[in-house]
């Protein structure tokens, strides 16, 4: 195992989640915050995933939620809000991997997860198996988001609870205005690239600006 935290632009990739239960819903929610496009394939799909896909309304009671479900064995593909979540209510098939950039196996059924994992690896599609870190090509970190800033904490699978605790500590220590600071820096960066042609001067300008904004923060908070 040798993990490296690349920060991928998820908006460019097509993801697939096999399984539509609690863990699938959690992974989906995190990926959607990064603007991901995902297909979810499972015979039973949780209400919150259907809501995210735009194929169900938020309902109050469990009875109402069950009433929303398609009869078992029905197969239907419903295209949701453009480019975000598509739900396919049936069991996994190999061809689900067609044109997919990464896949998450979250069925809780060992044979199905193993099949997804094996077939993804055959196609060199990165795979996450939620209850089998040894077979994962990528694992999920505990995430802090503040606007453009993202922190991912991983213990390499050793202790997810530790990742959660560290994430909470990082959340507490972050300056409140970090989002605004990064918005200013992003704007100034674009402007500086156009208006300060000398790279040495540009670099100094951007470094001084960043240091100044952060210093102001330290004193202001
Ligand atoms: C960080 C987070 C992100 C997320 O889920 O997106 C995440 N797990 C979280 C929480 C959490 N998960 C579990 C507990 C109970 C305590 C415990 O078991 O330790 C808690 C703690 C809690 O809930 O407080 C149970 C658990 N998790 C895994 C297994 C299987 C195994 O280890 O074999 C089992 C046992 C299942 C069982 O026994 O039945 C596996 C994985 N979980 C990972 C990620 C990956 C490695 C991350 C790392 O580097 O540490 C990895 C390898 C695969 C993956 O999922 O990618 C998310 C926190 C989100 C947040 O709040 O910030
Ligand atoms: N990674 C983590 O952080 C973590 C934490 C806790 C649990 N887990 C593990 O995650 C697994 C899933 O948990 P859950 O609570 O989401 O389970 P769940 O029972 O709520 O959901 C299982 C889903 O798999 C679907 N499914 C079953 N057979 C399928 C098939 N052939 N093709 C496609 N989909 C199929 C079901 O329809 C359902 O949507 C469990 O094994 C659990 O131990 C992982």
């Amino acid at each position: 195992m040798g993990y490296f935290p690349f920060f991928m632009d998820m908006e460019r990739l097509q993801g697939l989640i096999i399984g539509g239960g609690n863990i699938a819903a959690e992974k989906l929610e995190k990926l959607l915050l990064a603007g991901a496009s995902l297909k979810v394939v499972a015979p039973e799909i949780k209400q919150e995933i259907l809501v995210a896909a735009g194929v169900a309304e938020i309902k109050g009671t469990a009875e109402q939620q069950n009433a929303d479900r398609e009869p078992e064995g029905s197969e239907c593909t419903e295209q949701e809000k453009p480019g975000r979540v598509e739900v396919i209510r049936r069991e996994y098939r190999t061809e689900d991997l067609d044109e997919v950039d990464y896949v998450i196996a979250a069925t809780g059924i060992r044979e199905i997860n193993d099949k997804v994992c094996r077939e993804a690896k055959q196609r060199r599609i990165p795979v996450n198996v939620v209850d089998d870190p040894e077979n994962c090509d990528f694992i999920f970190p505990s995430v802090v988001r503040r606007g453009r800033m993202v922190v991912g904490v991983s213990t390499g699978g050793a202790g997810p609870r530790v990742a959660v605790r560290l994430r909470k500590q990082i959340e507490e220590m972050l300056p409140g205005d970090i989002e605004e600071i990064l918005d200013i820096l992003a704007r100034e960066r674009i402007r500086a690239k156009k208006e300060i042609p000398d790279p040495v001067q540009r670099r100094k300008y951007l470094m001084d600006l960043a240091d100044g904004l952060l210093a102001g923060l330290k004193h202001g908070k």
Side-chain angles (χ1 to χ4, degrees):
M1 269 186 297
Y3 295 109
F4 187 85
F6 279 118
F7 286 84
M8 305 283 288
D9 182 352
M10 301 308 280
E11 290 182 18
R12 294 167 191 269
L13 303 174
Q14 177 61 52
L16 172 68
I17 303 182
I18 307 301
N22 296 316
I23 300 297
E26 281 176 27
K27 303 294 188 202
L28 181 79
E29 193 189 353
K30 287 177 184 135
L31 290 167
L32 287 180
L33 287 173
S37 283
L38 288 141
K39 278 192 289 184
V40 177
V41 176
E44 288 288 320
I45 298 185
K46 268 200 93 182
Q47 170 79 0
E48 61 196 88
I49 298 177
L50 297 176
V51 169
V55 297
E57 301 292 321
I58 302 165
K59 296 271 175 71
T61 65
E63 286 76 15
Q64 281 170 316
Q65 290 179 14
N66 284 334
D68 273 342
R69 292 213 173 103
E70 292 279 311
E72 212 165 308
S74 78
E75 185 182 322
C76 61
T77 306
E78 289 125 350
Q79 188 65 48
E80 45 356 305
K81 297 169 208 149
R84 304 303 300 274
V85 188
E86 180 188 348
V87 293
I88 303 172
R89 281 185 263 205
R90 58 157 170 74
E91 293 192 345
Y92 165 74
R93 294 178 191 158
T94 308
E95 62 262 32
D96 293 329
L97 294 170
D98 291 349
E99 321 234 325
V100 154
D101 298 307
Y102 61 97
V103 57
I104 296 151
T107 69
I109 301 168
R110 166 77 41 204
E111 305 78 67
I112 306 294
N113 284 357
D114 283 352
K115 183 168 153 56
V116 175
C117 183
R118 201 173 51 246
E119 293 180 345
K121 282 177 193 290
Q122 273 163 9
R123 294 169 179 231
R124 301 180 75 87
I125 298 170
V127 57
N128 169 273
V129 186
V130 295
D131 52 4
D132 189 4
E134 295 299 316
N135 272 315
C136 289
D137 295 316
F138 63 97
I139 57 175
F140 281 73
S142 193
V143 179
V144 183
R145 275 186 185 281
R146 289 280 189 287
R148 296 163 195 265
M149 196 214 62
V150 185
V151 180
V153 182
S154 176
T155 64
R161 185 71 188 157
V162 176
V164 174
R165 294 286 285 272
L166 291 173
R167 189 252 299 159
K168 288 183 176 161
Q169 286 178 16
I170 292 167
E171 278 171 339
E172 279 166 23
M173 69 175 238
L174 276 175
D177 289 358
I178 192 74
E179 284 186 37
E180 283 168 37
I181 287 184
L182 293 176
D183 285 345
I184 296 170
L185 284 170
R187 273 200 307 275
E188 284 301 301
R189 196 171 190 80
I190 293 168
R191 200 177 64 80
K193 278 184 188 168
K194 282 192 207 134
E195 294 177 15
I196 313 177
D198 176 32
V200 177
Q201 264 187 27
R202 184 167 65 228
R203 196 184 152 113
K204 181 171 180 341
Y205 171 74
L206 290 172
M207 289 199 351
D208 288 349
L209 181 66
D211 289 347
L213 288 166
L214 283 172
L217 244 187
K218 265 187 220 142
H219 296 129
K221 301 268 151 184

